[in-house]
Amino acid sequence: MEVGIEDCLHIEFEYDKSKYHLEDVIVGKIYFLLVRIKIKHMELQILKRESTGSGPNLYNETDVLTKFEIMDGAPVRGECIPIRLF
């Protein structure tokens, strides 16, 4: 997955899967392709999303399970941050 701000910041996230079980180990990498703005720190959140009902009665609930600070300081172009969460 690639995200960013046009002509300022481009970040690419590389993970094995798009959905994980609660007992899975999350392994991946974060690549900084373009950095033209100052970044102080980066956090990664683990979200739990539950959906109940169907059609017009669909109800979604999202909770933050935990947060991890994975970077402190400004990254440079081409930097790679490895991720392994248990």
Side-chain angles (χ1 to χ4, degrees):
M1 171 174 56
E2 192 171 320
V3 297
I5 303 169
E6 190 174 338
D7 295 330
C8 291
L9 178 68
H10 291 214
I11 304 172
E12 183 177 293
F13 296 91
E14 183 180 289
Y15 293 103
D16 294 337
K17 302 184 268 185
S18 62
K19 295 181 183 179
Y20 289 89
H21 187 272
L22 288 174
E23 296 176 358
D24 285 346
V25 175
I26 301 171
V27 178
K29 294 180 182 178
I30 300 173
Y31 297 99
F32 290 88
L33 306 176
L34 176 68
V35 181
R36 291 188 181 157
I37 59 174
K38 196 167 192 170
I39 299 174
K40 293 184 179 181
H41 71 278
M42 179 184 285
E43 291 182 346
L44 184 69
Q45 290 184 350
I46 304 295
L47 301 174
K48 176 183 74 171
R49 181 176 294 163
E50 295 182 42
S51 298
T52 56
S54 64
N57 298 325
L58 184 65
Y59 176 73
N60 293 318
E61 183 177 337
T62 303
D63 295 322
V64 176
L65 295 179
T66 188
K67 290 182 185 179
F68 297 97
E69 184 172 333
I70 58 172
M71 185 187 75
D72 187 22
V76 295
R77 182 176 178 247
E79 187 169 356
C80 174
I81 299 175
I83 303 292
R84 182 176 298 229
L85 305 173
F86 297 94

